[in-house]
Amino acid sequence: MKDFFPEVTKIQYEGAQSKNPLAFRYYNPEEVVGDKTMEEHLRFSMAYWHTMTGGGQDMFGVNTAIRPWGDVKDPMEVARMRAYAAFEFMEKMQIPYFCFHDIDLAPEGETLQETFRNIDEIVAIIKDLMAQTGKKLLWGTANLFGHPRFMHGAATSPNADVFAYSAARVKRALEITKELGGENYVFWGGREGYETLLNTDMKLELDNLARFLHMAVEYAQEIGFKGQFLIEPKPKEPTKHQYDFDTQSVLAFLKAYDLDKYFKVNIEANHATLAGHTFQHELRYARINGILGSVDANQGDELLGWDTDQFPTNVYVTTMAMYEILLNGGLAPGGLNFDAKPRRGSHEPIDLFYSHIAGMDAFARGLKVAHRLLESGELENFIAERYQSWTTGIGKKIVDGEVGFKELSEYALQNKPIVLSSGRQEMLENIINRYLFE
Ligand code: XUL
Ligand code: CO
């Protein structure tokens, strides 16, 4: 078998003092942090579309990336070579999971039948490679946004034939995900949204989206697919307004259509930024509502208004993300999927290694800092103290449902002048810095 990355051997943990850019400085898979190894906490996953299939193309220019498995003319041969390259990459990177869209694996055919045949051939290769290497599928999904047929949406298309076609693709993607032992299945709402309300029946589109998801739930039950269903929120791009705007709107949609018991969310850092939230806000909102399922680990650029899908290197952000994930009791069966790509100018195969190492180390370091922070209780104790008025006296009565406006009014009328304590934001920010730089 061809060695697609001959310049790289397996990436090893060398410790924080190492200056080797092809080594982990923080990610040490076997190291135990709290109750689990780093590998168990972080559950890293490679995104097949960015790492294996994408090539750096953007709005202004063609592919730049050198990809040794793309050297041949026949697209099916490229797809075969790509599968081998994917597993070599995951082995060398010590990444245990991967995720894919159906057509990341193999090119679309002229007909739906041919598309399925192409995908099936590559799925058989991948199944063998999984058995040989022990690599696992974190989640599968169907790409219902790239082809022109999806220009007005998939499940929310004004054309019922597109809805039917999309159902066929999700049906097959679910079957494949089950066959490969996928632990989750993701619905990112591709072009499920609108450009203008002048031509849009929003009510019908939302009803149809819910119909589609109910059908998916029913079919998964029928075939015995046990994986977790996830919706990935995003506020805009490609459409001006995406229906799955953010976690809060997704939860409202799920509850409105009686879908909330079947779905959790897959939170992407860059999508949070686009929604005007921090990554931590989205994780927190999902966590406290019991729907934090999985994470697309990347970062955006706050100066740019689009989905740049950069590798996560901001340790402050990964720390606060891991803080939420630890409080969630982890992500399993979800994980940290690098929905991220090296910049278009980082076009050599070795840049795939540098970028994944950067992301893995940033999350490993974030895990360790977040763990220490939680162990100390410094933040949690401060918060408990700040809300202390809710555990005794009138606060407790409100929480216990013992009082209404009448009793509260009587209480307020005879109460002493109110004295508030400081929120101490800067002191707390400095505590975080102390943990980060310790
Ligand atoms: C798009 C995006 C997708 C989903 C899977 O912004 O994040 O790649 O993660 O469809
Ligand atoms: Co994503």
Side-chain angles (χ1 to χ4, degrees):
M1 176 46 50
K2 187 167 180 255
D3 188 354
F4 292 97
F5 305 101
E7 69 276 45
V8 184
T9 52
K10 194 167 180 172
I11 307 299
Q12 304 289 352
Y13 169 71
E14 291 185 4
Q17 304 315 316
S18 173
K19 292 203 166 58
N20 176 4
L22 286 173
F24 296 122
R25 298 170 61 243
Y26 298 103
Y27 183 58
N28 183 9
E30 288 92 47
E31 186 178 328
V32 175
V33 179
D35 58 345
K36 282 185 273 211
T37 63
M38 280 199 177
E39 183 175 351
E40 290 164 336
H41 275 291
L42 297 164
R43 298 171 60 84
F44 286 129
S45 158
M46 178 199 80
Y48 210 94
W49 54 101
H50 283 312
T51 301
M52 306 316 304
T53 311
Q57 179 188 348
D58 71 8
M59 301 274 272
F60 304 97
V62 297
N63 284 343
T64 55
I66 301 166
R67 297 292 180 252
W69 53 92
D71 277 355
V72 286
K73 281 264 172 308
D74 171 16
M76 276 307 285
E77 189 55 14
V78 173
R80 284 178 209 111
M81 293 302 105
R82 186 193 285 138
Y84 291 104
F87 283 77
E88 183 190 333
F89 182 75
M90 285 188 276
E91 285 270 87
K92 288 187 168 170
M93 276 308 308
Q94 302 205 49
I95 294 181
Y97 287 94
F98 63 105
C99 298
F100 61 77
H101 303 83
D102 49 1
I103 56 161
D104 300 334
L105 304 183
E108 280 199 59
E110 290 289 316
T111 60
L112 185 54
Q113 287 80 349
E114 194 186 331
T115 300
F116 286 160
R117 269 199 304 278
N118 290 351
I119 295 169
D120 286 350
E121 187 192 324
I122 305 302
V123 165
I125 297 174
I126 286 184
K127 200 172 174 183
D128 280 350
L129 288 166
M130 287 173 76
Q132 283 165 37
T133 59
K135 300 294 172 196
K136 291 172 281 187
L137 178 60
L138 187 67
W139 48 262
T141 189
N143 176 328
L144 303 180
F145 44 89
H147 191 277
R149 76 174 70 81
F150 302 119
M151 69 170 92
H152 303 307
T156 65
S157 173
N159 184 313
D161 285 351
V162 177
F163 185 104
Y165 177 95
S166 306
R169 286 277 296 275
V170 171
K171 175 177 175 289
R172 189 56 148 241
L174 277 168
E175 291 160 0
I176 292 167
T177 303
K178 177 176 185 264
E179 187 179 345
L180 297 179
E183 298 183 26
N184 305 266
Y185 185 91
V186 163
F187 293 84
W188 167 58
R191 292 183 193 271
E192 315 293 27
Y194 63 84
E195 293 300 322
T196 171
L197 288 175
L198 295 176
N199 62 14
T200 301
D201 185 340
M202 187 196 265
K203 174 82 169 81
L204 180 64
E205 291 200 1
L206 286 168
D207 288 351
N208 282 346
L209 183 55
R211 287 186 182 103
F212 193 87
L213 295 176
H214 272 293
M215 289 179 200
V217 168
E218 271 163 34
Y219 189 67
Q221 284 167 352
E222 201 178 312
I223 63 171
F225 173 65
K226 299 271 181 318
Q228 172 68 54
F229 271 4
L230 300 166
I231 292 193
E232 184 175 320
K234 187 175 184 181
K236 56 188 165 194
E237 198 194 34
T239 72
K240 174 192 164 102
H241 183 103
Q242 298 277 123
Y243 289 133
D244 297 327
F245 193 95
D246 62 359
T247 304
Q248 202 164 351
S249 1
V250 165
L251 186 58
F253 169 83
L254 292 173
K255 283 191 187 287
Y257 288 97
D258 233 358
L259 283 159
D260 50 312
K261 46 188 166 307
Y262 308 113
F263 287 83
K264 291 189 173 182
V265 284
N266 180 40
I267 294 186
E268 178 162 328
N270 203 159
H271 296 179
T273 312
L274 294 181
H277 299 311
T278 61
F279 185 23
Q280 192 186 1
H281 167 96
E282 285 290 85
L283 294 168
R284 173 74 59 94
Y285 191 83
R287 172 171 75 75
I288 61 176
N289 283 288
I291 56 165
L292 174 50
S294 200
V295 163
D296 269 7
N298 64 10
Q299 72 186 23
D301 185 316
E302 282 167 16
L303 301 184
L304 302 175
W306 66 90
D307 200 10
T308 57
D309 283 345
Q310 289 166 237
F311 272 85
T313 52
N314 183 329
V315 179
Y316 201 105
V317 173
T318 59
T319 297
M320 297 324 289
M322 287 313 302
Y323 185 81
E324 296 300 327
I325 291 168
L326 287 174
L327 283 171
N328 195 55
L331 284 175
L336 294 172
N337 171 49
F338 288 114
D339 190 355
K341 56 189 174 197
R343 297 305 80 197
R344 188 165 181 266
S346 305
H347 66 301
E348 296 173 6
I350 201 161
D351 289 304
L352 292 172
F353 288 88
Y354 291 134
S355 52
H356 281 81
I357 291 169
M360 291 165 80
D361 262 352
F363 265 95
R365 179 88 169 123
L367 165 65
K368 293 186 87 167
V369 179
H371 174 69
R372 275 194 287 117
L373 195 55
L374 272 168
E375 286 279 279
S376 78
E378 284 197 59
L379 271 194
E380 296 304 297
N381 292 344
F382 180 87
I383 293 172
E385 178 67 26
R386 186 164 185 240
Y387 289 85
Q388 196 255 336
S389 74
W390 295 92
T391 57
T392 55
I394 195 70
K396 184 156 185 342
K397 286 193 179 140
I398 297 171
V399 170
D400 292 344
E402 286 171 10
V403 290
F405 269 12
K406 215 154 55 67
E407 294 79 7
L408 290 174
S409 172
E410 278 160 21
Y411 175 85
L413 284 166
Q414 53 75 42
N415 201 10
K416 300 184 292 294
I418 296 170
V419 183
L420 294 176
S421 50
S422 164
R424 299 264 189 271
Q425 182 170 334
E426 298 75 9
M427 181 195 82
L428 295 167
E429 286 167 345
N430 205 22
I431 290 177
I432 304 289
N433 284 350
R434 170 153 57 75
Y435 279 89
L436 276 171
F437 295 114
E438 239 166 36

